[in-house]
Amino acid sequence: MRALALAATLLALAIPARAEPLSPQVLQTASELRDRALKGTIAHDFAEHLVLEVGARKAGTAQDKRAADWAVRELTKLGFDNVRAEIFDMPGWVRGAESARITAPFPHDIVISGLGGSVPTPKGGIEAEVVLFKTFDDLLAAPVGSLAGKIAFVTQPTIKDQDGAGYSATVRNRQQGAIEAARRGAIGYLVRSIGTHMTRVANTGSVRYAADVPRIPAAAVSPPDSVKIERLAARFGQPITLRLAMDHILPGTVQSRNIIADIRGSEKPNEYVIVSAHLDSWDTGTGALDDGAGMGIVTAAAKLIKDLPQRPKRSIRIIFFGAEEFGLLGARAYVARHKDRLGEYFVGSQADFGGDVAYGLQTRFHAPARAAIYAHMLRALAPLNIIPADNNAMGGPDMTPFRELGMPVFTVQQKGYDYFDIHHTPHDTVDKLDAKKLDQNVAVWAAVTWILANADVDLRPIPDPTAPRRLN
Amino acid sequence: MRALALAATLLALAIPARAEPLSPQVLQTASELRDRALKGTIAHDFAEHLVLEVGARKAGTAQDKRAADWAVRELTKLGFDNVRAEIFDMPGWVRGAESARITAPFPHDIVISGLGGSVPTPKGGIEAEVVLFKTFDDLLAAPVGSLAGKIAFVTQPTIKDQDGAGYSATVRNRQQGAIEAARRGAIGYLVRSIGTHMTRVANTGSVRYAADVPRIPAAAVSPPDSVKIERLAARFGQPITLRLAMDHILPGTVQSRNIIADIRGSEKPNEYVIVSAHLDSWDTGTGALDDGAGMGIVTAAAKLIKDLPQRPKRSIRIIFFGAEEFGLLGARAYVARHKDRLGEYFVGSQADFGGDVAYGLQTRFHAPARAAIYAHMLRALAPLNIIPADNNAMGGPDMTPFRELGMPVFTVQQKGYDYFDIHHTPHDTVDKLDAKKLDQNVAVWAAVTWILANADVDLRPIPDPTAPRRLN
């Protein structure tokens, strides 16, 4: 009986070593990386250093350049291979003075934030009646011409939730609203901040324009001021007029940069595992959670792997994308530049969801490949309280153009309940970084990255590569 | 046996009616007022109306005058007796443009709020090294002359708590800091916001100066920026320099107003029960919680009493004090003006702690009087979850000069855990007003006010009239 049990045990141990795509050694090292991360990593130090030395770093500005220089210097100091910046062109946008004031029925200054890329108002501002819409669908239902000479305002709140679905449900209000308002004749567009706080700051973020409608000035309103305007309208039943003045400058083409650093693989150096974040941040905060946290997490995970005695079989590439906030401009520039080689890229992901704890691991892998390795990965992550998730990973915003070309991706899901209290606001500051929570993320990233860099499996072709992307 | 029980019951009913200072009828009416309040009052409507029609109303400004006119109009509409404004003089203060920027070791714009009453900086601002103090005691420990040419900065956080003790522990950092810094040679004074949030706004509030030291410009720093400066100092170990520019104007003497409205008592019209709040608010928010909520609470309570078929024995006086935020200026003007009559005032209180639920009732009554009525009052308030509290009530900030002259006071304690996330910030806006919570407060105020306006008891002399006052 004991001999039989021993034989069964030996058999069980032997099978994975022979037949499984993940060797016990790979899984063992992944567990060691995980446990090492929990003892403390450079994630917080790295993110804090950037946020304190550079701070806000809007794409295409001198601050963006300072951040890029900082990143090249620090990644080089950390010993990564072939650290470099790749420059790309982008349309510049400089925030000017901005103000908004309700002028009737009673005067009130309100807090706004001009949306990134917004055209300025005419000199001296615009003053017009405000037309309120409770939802974006209500705006869409307004007839063409019905907003002539008016300012359109979508007052829909954004709900708090675990995974950002609340944000995804309302972000088009910010991104698409100026187009739809202008199509109906509006001369200005306001949107209740796409944020979940009730503080007196407005969430910035990018706005889009369409070629076939005028580009109208667009701004986000602080949630309390949005409620105030709704209450003014409900209580007094009189027209609300508002003066909006924004002196933004559109300086034409400017430059930004993607930052790249490698750990060269020992067996398949041309197959990359991409671990990415984005370098740029909005100017109103200092980019601590968005995306200093992500930069710290992926850099710390890669550093743990770099410090191992053995190299991974595949190469690991850190990318800090530039100009993510202006519409994934750095990611698109990277894809355009490296198009010929992307077919060899093994898998990628981006950390861009703040600094709270990780709780799930999504993938987008060829189903048989996922079946072969996912349970093993989850077992390695179990001590971190990572729960199973689906095979519909988006991989993070900057993975979009990669994924659309067929690259497998994964997403380390982070608790997002409080993220949109901070995201794109002035509150995104160094005090929001929590070293222990970042380390827990690093533990996940280090284990997953190591496993994928060494797995004997093919993750392609992926299901549904052009699935709806997470909006940024 | 049944006859005995009946006799005992009759005796029990009979004794209070004959010997107690509170008749069953008074307590019955108090309970009815309480229950009526819970069905809905004008508190939220009153506060919202003010906040939407007037908004910010810094003492001594045109907005303050608009608020005073609004209050006279609305109190008159509600049917109170003898509604009027009493004008008083005060030193004016106009906030100008204000900005602060760390200039070394790395440039960072930081968010500040000039303290109310602060002198401006010299034209173009001041730039100097910042000397950090973790606590106010550390500043006090610095030798005279040791801060020559420097900007002093006290970075002590304010803790959240139930009753505002955290605020009371740090508010001197804001009020007294400019004096103590200047005494040691400083040319500017910064204080971490006396607030419990971690948002990127700074809490304003008044600053004091002393005749024997120079008046130096003083500002509060947002909590995240305070942490940033501490981390910069700790991480890089280099001197931190900062440029502070504030263009405040000190226009000399201006006018503000106390607003008064009465319910004339049927038996003792010269004995007043004062139910008060303050009219003015800081300019950075809109004074919804501070003190629109208090105005709504006391007005709604008085209105419930006014609508009874019978009048109270004593008069009830609503007072909305002006210029509370600049150092109880309206309260002091009222006391100076009405000094000869204050000895007849029966009791007073102020609602000035936001809009969260009430949980306790403090008094400052002659001990035998308290012994005679307090248990009855608590029994009337029990359905509102009001718990017993001590006989050390302050009565609210504007009751200070009254209490110091011997007037009995009570305090309806409100949950203050979240209050200092909002207090004196731009976040103090209409969305923070919760009608149900205000109504629960009104229930307490109406019952207590009715009981005290009809009690056959003398609350004087009060214990320790000059006890340390709650700082505002």
Side-chain angles (χ1 to χ4, degrees):
Chain A
M1 196 64 184
R2 288 186 66 180
L4 196 63
L6 182 64
T9 304
L10 289 172
L11 199 65
L13 285 172
I15 286 175
R18 199 183 52 198
E20 295 288 333
L22 294 174
S23 74
Q25 291 80 0
V26 166
L27 291 169
Q28 176 60 29
T29 301
S31 296
E32 289 167 10
L33 287 164
R34 175 198 70 205
D35 293 343
R36 209 163 295 150
L38 293 182
K39 289 185 184 136
T41 78
I42 63 166
H44 181 267
D45 184 75
F46 192 81
E48 184 187 78
H49 190 178
L50 171 65
V51 171
L52 289 177
E53 183 163 330
V54 179
R57 45 198 183 278
K58 186 156 55 67
T61 65
Q63 283 291 98
D64 185 30
K65 175 66 163 63
R66 281 184 65 211
D69 292 346
W70 178 92
V72 167
R73 186 184 83 210
E74 294 303 316
L75 291 171
T76 303
K77 268 194 213 162
L78 289 171
F80 292 107
D81 303 327
N82 199 16
V83 179
R84 62 206 182 277
E86 289 184 351
I87 297 180
F88 59 90
D89 287 343
M90 62 172 285
W93 182 75
V94 180
R95 187 186 303 279
E98 44 190 33
S99 67
R101 182 174 173 82
I102 300 165
T103 52
F106 304 108
H108 287 276
D109 288 323
I110 66 169
V111 174
I112 60 161
S113 184
L115 297 185
S118 171
V119 295
T121 59
K123 203 83 183 167
I126 55 174
E127 183 167 350
E129 187 180 336
V130 180
V131 182
L132 303 181
F133 298 97
K134 283 195 183 303
T135 69
F136 198 72
D137 285 333
D138 292 332
L139 171 61
L140 293 180
V144 169
S146 65
L147 300 178
K150 308 285 175 64
I151 295 172
F153 183 9
V154 175
T155 61
Q156 187 170 20
T158 297
I159 64 160
K160 285 173 87 96
D161 79 320
Q162 170 82 353
D163 68 0
Y167 176 77
S168 294
T170 54
V171 68
R172 69 172 175 165
N173 300 4
R174 187 238 296 155
Q175 293 179 331
Q176 305 285 348
I179 296 171
E180 299 302 334
R183 205 185 288 291
R184 289 158 179 79
I187 60 168
Y189 179 68
L190 298 176
V191 60
R192 174 170 163 154
S193 284
I194 310 304
T196 50
H197 57 92
M198 285 305 293
T199 66
R200 200 90 174 285
V201 300
N203 299 53
T204 194
S206 62
V207 65
R208 296 183 188 156
Y209 291 119
D212 63 331
V213 291
R215 292 145 60 103
I216 60 174
V221 176
S222 86
D225 286 299
S226 181
V227 171
K228 180 192 298 174
I229 291 170
E230 287 187 283
R231 291 300 306 147
L232 277 169
R235 181 166 189 122
F236 299 101
Q238 297 168 38
I240 292 172
T241 59
L242 187 140
R243 210 182 69 79
L244 176 69
M246 302 195 293
D247 297 337
H248 308 317
I249 296 165
L250 301 165
T253 299
V254 297
Q255 293 187 318
S256 187
R257 288 147 202 87
N258 295 320
I259 309 301
I260 300 165
D262 294 339
I263 302 172
R264 195 172 160 79
S266 58
E267 293 183 13
K268 300 168 179 174
N270 293 331
E271 294 189 13
Y272 287 97
V273 176
I274 305 290
V275 295
S276 72
H278 66 82
L279 180 69
D280 65 315
S281 81
W282 284 109
D283 50 335
T284 57
T286 64
L289 293 184
D290 185 13
D291 187 23
M295 291 171 64
I297 289 167
V298 301
T299 304
K303 177 66 163 62
L304 284 172
I305 290 172
K306 202 196 69 60
D307 289 346
L308 290 172
Q310 72 274 38
R311 288 197 167 231
K313 289 181 187 168
R314 297 188 178 84
S315 291
I316 293 168
R317 172 163 289 180
I318 298 172
I319 311 179
F320 298 152
F321 290 104
E324 187 272 348
E325 299 291 7
F326 282 89
L328 319 181
L329 302 184
R332 295 188 199 287
Y334 183 99
V335 164
R337 183 172 181 144
H338 296 268
K339 201 163 201 163
D340 297 343
R341 309 294 298 274
L342 293 183
E344 292 179 81
Y345 284 26
F346 186 69
V347 69
S349 185
Q350 183 172 43
D352 183 24
F353 208 65
D356 213 333
V357 293
Y359 69 91
L361 177 68
Q362 291 179 299
T363 61
R364 189 180 296 260
F365 298 165
H366 187 48
R370 172 167 157 124
I373 63 171
Y374 189 69
H376 290 287
M377 296 172 75
L378 261 282
R379 213 170 304 145
L381 302 176
L384 303 170
N385 299 316
I386 302 303
I387 57 175
D390 60 39
N391 198 33
N392 301 317
M394 297 299 174
D398 281 321
M399 291 296 98
T400 303
F402 293 82
R403 193 188 64 244
E404 287 176 349
L405 293 171
M407 191 180 79
V409 295
F410 64 90
T411 296
V412 178
Q413 294 178 292
Q414 289 176 270
K415 187 187 157 213
Y417 196 80
D418 300 323
Y419 183 49
F420 295 98
D421 288 352
I422 306 299
H423 179 258
H424 292 196
T425 74
H427 310 327
D428 189 359
T429 40
V430 67
D431 51 289
K432 308 303 185 301
L433 296 168
D434 180 316
K436 285 281 169 205
K437 290 179 177 176
L438 296 182
D439 287 345
Q440 186 258 9
N441 279 278
V442 174
V444 178
W445 276 83
V448 169
T449 302
W450 180 256
I451 287 171
L452 293 176
N454 291 282
D456 287 322
V457 67
D458 193 349
L459 304 181
R460 297 184 187 231
I462 61 170
D464 198 8
T466 56
R469 59 172 179 267
R470 182 199 148 205
L471 298 163
N472 61 294
Chain B
M1 195 63 185
R2 290 185 66 179
L4 195 64
L6 183 62
T9 303
L10 288 171
L11 198 66
L13 285 171
I15 285 176
R18 197 184 54 200
E20 295 288 333
L22 294 174
S23 74
Q25 291 79 2
V26 166
L27 291 170
Q28 175 61 29
T29 302
S31 295
E32 288 167 10
L33 287 164
R34 174 198 70 205
D35 294 343
R36 210 163 294 150
L38 293 183
K39 289 186 183 136
T41 78
I42 64 165
H44 181 267
D45 183 74
F46 192 81
E48 184 188 77
H49 190 178
L50 171 65
V51 172
L52 289 177
E53 183 162 329
V54 179
R57 46 199 182 276
K58 186 156 55 67
T61 65
Q63 283 291 98
D64 186 29
K65 175 67 163 61
R66 281 185 65 210
D69 292 345
W70 177 92
V72 168
R73 186 184 82 208
E74 294 302 318
L75 292 170
T76 302
K77 270 195 213 164
L78 289 171
F80 292 106
D81 303 327
N82 199 17
V83 179
R84 62 207 183 275
E86 289 185 351
I87 296 179
F88 60 90
D89 286 344
M90 62 170 284
W93 182 75
V94 180
R95 187 186 302 279
E98 43 190 34
S99 67
R101 183 174 173 83
I102 301 166
T103 51
F106 304 107
H108 286 277
D109 289 323
I110 67 169
V111 174
I112 62 162
S113 184
L115 297 184
S118 171
V119 296
T121 58
K123 203 83 183 167
I126 55 174
E127 183 166 350
E129 187 179 336
V130 180
V131 182
L132 302 181
F133 299 96
K134 284 194 184 303
T135 69
F136 197 72
D137 286 333
D138 292 332
L139 170 61
L140 293 178
V144 169
S146 64
L147 300 179
K150 308 285 176 65
I151 295 172
F153 183 8
V154 175
T155 61
Q156 189 170 19
T158 297
I159 64 159
K160 285 172 90 96
D161 78 319
Q162 170 82 354
D163 69 358
Y167 176 78
S168 295
T170 53
V171 68
R172 69 171 175 164
N173 300 3
R174 186 237 298 155
Q175 291 179 331
Q176 305 285 349
I179 296 170
E180 298 302 335
R183 207 184 287 292
R184 289 158 179 81
I187 59 168
Y189 179 68
L190 297 176
V191 59
R192 175 170 163 153
S193 284
I194 310 304
T196 50
H197 58 91
M198 285 305 292
T199 67
R200 199 89 173 286
V201 300
N203 298 54
T204 194
S206 63
V207 66
R208 296 183 189 156
Y209 292 118
D212 63 331
V213 291
R215 291 146 58 104
I216 60 174
V221 176
S222 86
D225 286 300
S226 181
V227 170
K228 181 193 296 177
I229 290 170
E230 288 187 283
R231 291 299 306 146
L232 277 170
R235 179 165 191 125
F236 299 101
Q238 297 169 39
I240 291 172
T241 60
L242 186 140
R243 210 182 70 78
L244 175 68
M246 301 195 294
D247 296 337
H248 308 317
I249 297 165
L250 301 166
T253 298
V254 296
Q255 294 186 317
S256 187
R257 288 147 201 88
N258 295 321
I259 309 300
I260 301 166
D262 292 341
I263 301 171
R264 195 171 160 79
S266 57
E267 293 183 12
K268 301 168 179 174
N270 293 332
E271 294 188 14
Y272 287 96
V273 177
I274 305 289
V275 296
S276 73
H278 66 82
L279 180 70
D280 64 317
S281 81
W282 284 110
D283 50 335
T284 57
T286 64
L289 293 184
D290 186 13
D291 187 22
M295 291 171 65
I297 290 167
V298 301
T299 304
K303 176 68 162 61
L304 284 172
I305 291 172
K306 201 196 69 58
D307 290 346
L308 290 173
Q310 72 275 37
R311 287 196 167 233
K313 291 182 186 169
R314 296 188 180 85
S315 292
I316 293 168
R317 172 163 289 181
I318 298 171
I319 312 179
F320 298 153
F321 290 104
E324 187 270 348
E325 299 292 7
F326 281 90
L328 319 181
L329 302 184
R332 294 188 199 289
Y334 183 99
V335 165
R337 183 171 183 146
H338 297 266
K339 202 162 199 163
D340 298 343
R341 310 295 296 275
L342 293 184
E344 292 178 80
Y345 285 26
F346 186 69
V347 70
S349 185
Q350 183 171 44
D352 183 24
F353 208 64
D356 213 334
V357 293
Y359 69 90
L361 177 69
Q362 291 178 299
T363 61
R364 190 181 295 261
F365 298 164
H366 187 48
R370 173 168 157 123
I373 63 171
Y374 190 70
H376 291 286
M377 297 173 75
L378 261 281
R379 212 170 305 144
L381 302 176
L384 303 171
N385 300 316
I386 302 302
I387 58 175
D390 60 39
N391 199 31
N392 301 317
M394 298 299 175
D398 281 321
M399 291 296 97
T400 302
F402 294 81
R403 194 187 64 243
E404 288 175 350
L405 292 172
M407 189 181 79
V409 295
F410 64 91
T411 296
V412 178
Q413 295 177 290
Q414 290 175 268
K415 187 186 158 215
Y417 196 80
D418 300 323
Y419 182 48
F420 296 97
D421 287 351
I422 305 298
H423 179 257
H424 292 195
T425 73
H427 311 325
D428 189 359
T429 39
V430 68
D431 50 289
K432 307 304 185 301
L433 296 169
D434 180 316
K436 284 281 168 206
K437 291 179 177 177
L438 295 181
D439 288 343
Q440 187 258 10
N441 279 277
V442 174
V444 178
W445 276 84
V448 169
T449 301
W450 181 256
I451 287 171
L452 293 175
N454 291 283
D456 287 322
V457 68
D458 193 350
L459 305 181
R460 298 183 186 235
I462 61 170
D464 197 8
T466 57
R469 62 173 178 264
R470 182 199 149 204
L471 299 162
N472 62 294

